[in-house]
């Protein structure tokens, strides 16, 4: 049996997405399916899972974010001073920026139309003329160029492509022990510098962002105390719309893998696209996208800090101790999901399951009142579009390693799923 007083931070880095199951198995605690006591990042913590755990974690009167993540991780991934680590009134005021920037239906629809055009250009210029390339790289570039344009950051094709790969590298290395982590840190520096310069030039009147674009909203934003964002924080928050949209490319790679392993779903999406005449917003494509977000690993867990002494499912947490929600474990919790280890988009077809309190690939609660991701419409929309585009292709998968390491956070199929001999069906 595991010693609950022994710090398990290194085990988390080593075991990745398997860490939480390992903790539960090792604890010898009968309450372990719902929660387990452990020691992480030098302090005692409670790891919770499932719908009740989600409710606790997203109860803002019980759990706060300040001090939850070590600056080494949060500064690298989200940028220093970002919305992710704010609480209460400060959080509400800053979050309003993202709700306006990312959750408007008409604006999301415009992004999807632009991304569809970008996919078509990519097909015409890269895959159809016979070049071999990975779905991941293609999606990084397609999403990257679209989101930059959509956010009001105008730049040339080459620069947009470079920024897209740099932002993707920030995500790729944030939780890895090794060179990818250093690369992530370095790219964070170069991207912060590039975006800070863009913000400064706009404030100096040298560039004028499109009205109501994310860039414009960041410049107009006022925090709870009435102050504008300083140049660095403005650059960080503008990237907090752009970088995670590019990170949807990781799901695109998993989607290609899912189509390879479950060709019946590729056929169903292709039929839907043929019937509707568009790859955007198809119901089957959304079900596939949601199952990709549920089934494949991306966010492992999220940390918060107890605001007061608490009791959860028979376990005590003292004020100041960490509470962690097991995101991956909740989307695979056998108490909520029928055959959680089977890839089956049917569970999302006409069932309303996407609104369930235990479907939390991008956080729980509501985006408007808590820390839930404001980018779910963009993520699911882009993925469903990508399902429509990929389903319309004939392609060969050359010999390659399609496995993904569960000990790496974040993970994805090693080569990003390489396609060759691509043609339209
Ligand atoms: C790859 C797809 C994505 C995944 C897996 C993802 C996941 C998450 C998760 C787990 C959180 C934290 C929730 C919490 O702290 O409780 C979050 C927050 C956030 N996400 Fe996403 N996200 C994705 C895409 C996006 C997109 C497309 C945007 C663009 C707007 C976005 C913007 C944000 C922001 C600004 C926050 C901070 C919210 C807050 O602290 O209130 N994300 N995301």
């Amino acid at each position: 049996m595991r010693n609950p007083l022994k710090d398990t931070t290194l085990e988390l880095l080593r075991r990745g997405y398997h860490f939480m199951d390992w903790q539960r198995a090792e604890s010898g605690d009968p309450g372990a399916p719902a929660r387990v006591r452990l020691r992480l990042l030098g302090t005692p913590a409670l790891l919770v899972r499932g719908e009740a755990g989600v409710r606790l974690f997203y109860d803002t009167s019980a759990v706060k974010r300040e001090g939850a993540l070590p600056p080494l991780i949060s500064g690298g991934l989200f940028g220093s001073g970002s919305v992710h680590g704010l609480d209460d009134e400060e959080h509400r005021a800053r979050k309003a920026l993202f709700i306006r920037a990312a959750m408007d239906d008409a604006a999301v629809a415009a992004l999807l139309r632009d991304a569809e055009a970008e996919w078509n250009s990519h097909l015409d210029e890269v895959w159809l003329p016979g070049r071999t390339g990975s779905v991941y790289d293609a999606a990084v570039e397609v999403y990257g160029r679209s989101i930059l344009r959509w956010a009001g950051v105008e730049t040339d094709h080459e620069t947009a492509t470079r920024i897209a790969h740099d932002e993707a590298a920030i995500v790729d290395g944030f939780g890895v022990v090794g060179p990818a982590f250093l690369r992530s840190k370095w790219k964070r520096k170069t991207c912060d510098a590039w975006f800070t310069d863009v913000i400064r030039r706009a404030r100096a009147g040298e560039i004028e962002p499109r009205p109501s674009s994310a860039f414009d909203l960041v410049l107009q934003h006022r925090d709870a105390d009435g102050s504008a964002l300083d140049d660095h924080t403005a650059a960080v928050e503008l990237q907090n719309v752009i970088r995670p949209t590019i990170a949807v490319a990781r799901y695109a790679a998993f989607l290609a893998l899912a189509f390879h392993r479950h060709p019946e779903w590729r056929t169903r999406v292709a039929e839907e696209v043929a019937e509707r005449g568009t790859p955007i917003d198809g119901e089957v494509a959304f079900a596939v996208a949601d199952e990709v977000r549920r089934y494949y690993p991306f966010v492992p867990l999220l940390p918060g800090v107890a605001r007061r002494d608490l009791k959860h499912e028979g376990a005590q947490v003292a004020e100041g101790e960490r509470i962690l929600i097991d995101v991956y474990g909740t989307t695979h919790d056998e108490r909520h999901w029928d055959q959680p280890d089977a890839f089956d988009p049917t569970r999302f077809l006409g069932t309303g399951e996407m609104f369930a309190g235990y479907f939390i690939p991008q956080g729980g609660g509501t985006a408007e009142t808590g820390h839930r991701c404001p980018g779910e419409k963009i993520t699911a929309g882009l993925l469903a579009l990508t399902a429509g585009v990929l389903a319309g292709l004939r392609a060969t998968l050359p010999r390659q390693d399609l496995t993904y390491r569960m000990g790496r956070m974040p993970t994805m199929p090693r080569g990003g799923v390489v396609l060759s001999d691509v043609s339209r069906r």
Side-chain angles (χ1 to χ4, degrees):
M1 201 199 296
R2 180 184 55 92
N3 172 4
L5 297 178
K6 186 168 180 272
D7 195 273
T8 51
T9 310
L10 289 176
E11 291 289 349
L12 171 61
L13 293 173
R14 197 162 73 81
R15 295 177 188 267
Y17 300 90
H18 286 319
F19 169 78
M20 290 78 84
D21 273 343
W22 171 77
Q23 279 288 350
R24 280 190 286 274
E26 289 283 299
S27 70
D29 178 342
R35 88 288 179 285
V36 55
R37 293 282 305 169
L38 67 159
R39 207 179 161 84
L40 199 67
L41 297 164
T43 51
L46 184 73
L47 176 65
V48 299
R49 181 174 84 136
E51 196 167 13
V54 174
R55 267 200 305 276
L56 168 71
F57 186 80
Y58 285 95
D59 175 352
T60 50
S61 71
V63 179
K64 63 174 182 167
R65 299 306 176 94
E66 192 194 348
L69 259 181
L72 188 67
I73 299 287
S74 62
L77 182 58
F78 309 127
S80 53
S82 82
V83 63
H84 303 76
L86 303 180
D87 290 305
D88 306 324
E89 202 37 49
E90 261 190 309
H91 176 254
R92 267 188 291 281
R94 186 77 63 81
K95 187 65 177 283
L97 163 64
F98 292 94
I99 306 284
R100 285 184 70 197
M103 292 184 68
D104 178 73
D105 284 334
V108 174
L111 173 66
L112 298 183
R113 284 194 300 275
D114 187 84
E116 184 190 3
E118 272 292 340
W119 267 122
N120 283 327
S121 309
H122 180 83
L123 290 176
D124 291 339
E125 285 156 28
V126 180
W127 269 337
L128 297 179
R131 297 229 301 270
T132 295
S134 80
V135 171
Y136 174 70
D137 282 339
V140 164
E141 295 180 13
V142 165
Y143 301 162
R145 289 193 289 262
S146 279
I147 192 70
L148 280 164
R149 195 160 40 236
W150 180 85
V153 182
E154 297 290 342
T155 184
D156 60 83
H157 186 91
E158 281 66 37
T159 309
T161 306
R162 178 174 54 77
I163 294 291
H165 282 291
D166 286 356
E167 292 286 348
I170 293 177
V171 178
D172 186 63
F174 84 86
V176 177
V177 182
F181 183 76
L182 298 177
R183 186 155 183 264
S184 167
K185 283 274 177 205
W186 170 49
K187 294 299 181 186
R188 160 59 66 190
K189 273 209 167 73
T190 54
C191 286
D192 278 1
W194 192 84
F195 278 96
T196 304
D197 180 59
V198 167
I199 296 283
R200 283 196 186 123
R201 283 195 287 135
R203 285 184 165 156
E206 291 168 30
I207 36 181
E208 208 174 308
R210 199 178 65 247
S212 300
S213 60
F215 188 1
D216 184 39
L217 295 178
V218 163
L219 293 175
Q220 306 302 331
H221 177 75
R222 294 294 175 270
D223 265 346
D225 63 1
S227 63
L229 299 176
D230 63 60
D231 293 346
H232 173 81
T233 310
V236 158
E237 298 296 35
L238 181 52
Q239 288 176 85
N240 277 332
V241 173
I242 290 164
R243 186 197 58 261
T245 304
I246 294 167
V248 178
R250 306 185 79 85
Y251 278 144
F254 279 126
L255 168 70
L257 180 64
F259 273 170
H260 180 61
R261 300 250 189 267
H262 310 278
E264 68 280 12
W265 284 102
R266 194 184 61 207
T267 307
R268 284 186 70 170
V269 173
E271 285 167 359
E272 180 179 66
V273 174
E275 201 176 293
R276 297 179 64 249
T278 168
I280 294 177
D281 281 353
E283 195 191 343
V284 178
F286 265 119
V288 170
D290 284 344
E291 182 65 344
V292 165
R293 292 195 299 141
R294 183 197 72 83
Y295 180 80
Y296 290 106
F298 197 149
V299 177
L301 45 76
L302 294 165
V305 173
R307 284 183 190 257
R308 49 184 159 82
D309 293 352
L310 293 163
K311 206 166 175 192
H312 180 72
E313 308 261 350
Q316 299 283 348
V317 190
E319 182 184 342
E321 287 183 359
R322 277 198 181 80
I323 298 181
L324 307 140
I325 178 74
D326 177 354
V327 173
Y328 181 74
T330 300
T331 56
H332 291 78
D333 191 327
E334 55 292 333
R335 294 171 302 161
H336 300 313
W337 304 96
D338 186 28
Q339 298 193 43
D341 295 327
F343 179 87
D344 182 10
T346 318
R347 64 176 99 242
F348 288 108
L349 265 179
T351 58
E353 212 49 353
M354 62 283 268
F355 304 114
Y358 43 83
F359 181 49
I360 57 158
Q362 294 177 234
T366 65
E368 289 80 359
T369 57
H371 280 271
R372 189 180 188 126
C373 178
E376 285 193 278
K377 280 185 193 173
I378 290 180
T379 305
L382 277 180
L383 259 185
L385 160 68
T386 306
V389 170
L390 294 181
L393 302 179
R394 232 184 276 281
T396 306
L397 270 73
R399 266 179 74 90
Q400 61 190 288
D401 182 359
L402 289 172
T403 61
Y404 47 96
R405 274 183 287 161
M406 292 298 276
R408 187 194 200 279
M409 297 177 296
T411 189
M412 68 170 185
R414 284 168 197 254
V417 186
V418 175
L419 304 185
S420 63
D421 307 318
V422 179
S423 61
R424 285 199 168 91
R425 278 174 191 275

